[in-house]
Amino acid sequence: MAEVPTEPKTTQIDEISHNLSFSTSNAADSSWDKISFFRHRSRQIKRDTWLVSVFVLLQIVLFAVTMGVNDCSRNSHGHCAAKLLGRFSFQPLSENPMLGPSASTLEHMGGLSWNTLTENHEIWRILTSPWLHSGLFHLFINLGSLIFVGIYMEQQFGPLRIAIIYFLSGSVGSLFAVLFVRNIPSISSGAAFFGLIGAMLSALAKNWNLYTGKISALVIMFTIFTVNFLIGFLPFIDNFANIGGFISGFLLGFVLLFTPQLRQMPPSHKGKLFEDDMKRSTRLKEQFDRPVLRIISLVVFCGMLAGVLLAACWGVNLNRHCHWCRYVDCVPTKKWSCSDMTTSCEAMVSDAQLTLTCMANGKFRIFPYTNISQARTQDLCTLVCS
């Protein structure tokens, strides 16, 4: 008699073992949903970072042009720092502690000041100010931070979104600076960078449960923010522009940035059915990712932009209503003052020497040259009166 083949019976132990294995696999795979915010280079999304490179190169060229226009060796008659650089040498540290140009040169190149905006109505300075730097130290710190933050953001979210955040944050930051601007020229190059910091923070906050290493990421962002903000207390750098740029970037991050890790493919050991489900889930989340939050952030940003734009057009100066606000942007020392006084000096020429006496406090100083421009004379008058 032929034996009838029988199928092996599945025991309860085998079934329990299978279920245990399946649940363990799911538990292990659930960690794939979380990734480190600052991922290792080998795990980052591969994109060309040409945009940040263009920004860095452009700002280096503009700083070189600014120093060439400054021409300390001729306009200051050799009283310069780093004299070996000739035309590109820096103003004395007592005049510009950041190793950079004079105040009149920054104003000539497009810096913000109350007189040029209100009396001459040179609104174009709102667009030129974000591209200037007060000195070599400022340039190195700002561009170093921009390279670190900008390359990461461009790799994660692409050049188009980062360019929009960068330009809008710089412009809105300049508008913020206009509301607190003084007669001293100021620049807002940090506003665009602070916009990227704000966008990075909103990307982390928006996807808080999807990241690991969140505390270390916050520490890094806070350190970069603090270093660049402290530099804003030095002359010619506007901290109000940094604040406005940060708020703008934070709001624009909620509007423009998607969840970056949803763009990744699932691990190769997953089944095809799961892979297809993940692809469909990815498309839906990229398309309908928190639309209410995006709309609210966009409305708030547009309202803020309209408010500062109208206030700037009406010539609102908040320093008149907030006497302590100047200390957000300046720390008074023996080298410079935070007061917004109009400096005037009495000039006396004798024996190839120029004597400037401050009309406000009676201080005077003798300079061993006389043939200088009116703008340069005003720079020295401000130095004497401070």
Side-chain angles (χ1 to χ4, degrees), residues 182-184 326-327 330 332 336-342 385-386:
R182 297 176 290 155
N183 289 326
I184 303 173
R326 68 186 65 178
Y327 301 111
C330 174
W336 61 81
S337 173
C338 296
S339 61
D340 193 19
M341 61 180 180
T342 301
C385 292
S386 62

Side-chain angles (χ1 to χ4, degrees), residues 185-296:
S186 63
I187 57 176
S188 55
S189 57
F193 163 73
F194 271 83
L196 295 183
I197 286 287
M200 179 181 286
L201 180 61
S202 65
L204 177 61
K206 181 180 178 181
N207 307 297
W208 182 262
N209 294 326
L210 301 178
Y211 285 119
T212 61
K214 296 182 285 288
I215 302 302
S216 60
L218 287 175
V219 170
I220 293 175
M221 283 187 276
F222 178 77
T223 302
I224 297 175
F225 179 96
T226 303
V227 170
N228 285 271
F229 193 81
L230 289 177
I231 295 175
F233 291 110
L234 297 176
F236 310 127
I237 306 174
D238 202 300
N239 256 345
F240 290 106
N242 297 338
I243 295 173
F246 178 81
I247 297 174
S248 301
F250 184 75
L251 294 173
L252 290 172
F254 286 119
V255 176
L256 296 175
L257 302 184
F258 288 109
T259 306
Q261 76 276 8
L262 290 177
R263 297 181 181 275
Q264 295 183 353
M265 293 298 294
S268 57
H269 66 271
K270 293 291 183 182
K272 187 176 186 306
L273 178 61
F274 179 83
E275 183 176 346
D276 292 338
D277 291 340
M278 279 298 300
K279 287 180 179 179
R280 286 193 292 269
S281 176
T282 298
R283 287 195 295 268
L284 288 174
K285 288 187 177 182
E286 285 184 351
Q287 194 172 10
F288 302 106
D289 188 20
R290 295 174 181 157
V292 175
L293 179 61
R294 293 180 186 274
I295 294 173
I296 293 175

Side-chain angles (χ1 to χ4, degrees), residues 112 114 117 122-127 129-130 167-181 187-188 191 238 240-245 248 301-318:
L112 299 173
W114 178 253
L117 290 170
E122 298 175 352
I123 306 300
W124 53 267
R125 294 178 179 272
I126 295 174
L127 300 178
S129 178
F167 284 115
L168 288 179
S169 298
S171 300
V172 176
S174 292
L175 288 172
F176 258 79
V178 169
L179 303 182
F180 298 90
V181 72
I187 57 176
S188 55
D238 202 300
F240 290 106
N242 297 338
I243 295 173
S248 301
F301 173 78
C302 292
M304 181 184 66
L305 175 59
V308 295
L309 186 59
L310 289 175
C313 292
W314 290 341
V316 175
N317 188 351
L318 295 181

Side-chain angles (χ1 to χ4, degrees), residues 59-166:
Q59 295 185 55
I60 291 175
V61 171
L62 287 176
F63 180 74
V65 172
T66 301
M67 296 309 303
V69 172
N70 184 70
D71 196 1
C72 181
S73 60
R74 182 176 66 86
N75 295 327
S76 298
H77 295 267
H79 290 263
C80 312
K83 297 180 181 180
L84 294 177
L85 297 177
R87 183 185 184 94
F88 298 93
S89 56
F90 311 109
Q91 296 300 128
L93 293 177
S94 59
E95 186 175 349
N96 188 339
M98 301 298 288
L99 285 180
S102 63
S104 58
T105 300
L106 288 174
E107 184 173 332
H108 175 73
M109 294 297 295
L112 299 173
S113 66
W114 178 253
N115 292 333
T116 57
L117 290 170
T118 57
E119 297 180 3
N120 302 333
H121 303 287
E122 298 175 352
I123 306 300
W124 53 267
R125 294 178 179 272
I126 295 174
L127 300 178
T128 57
S129 178
W131 299 95
L132 301 177
H133 288 83
S134 65
L136 190 64
F137 292 151
H138 183 212
L139 180 73
F140 283 163
I141 295 175
N142 187 266
L143 293 189
S145 303
L146 175 62
I147 291 172
F148 178 81
V149 175
I151 288 180
Y152 171 82
M153 295 293 286
E154 188 176 357
Q155 285 179 339
Q156 300 302 315
F157 304 105
L160 179 59
R161 295 187 181 102
I162 300 307
I164 294 174
I165 294 173
Y166 191 86

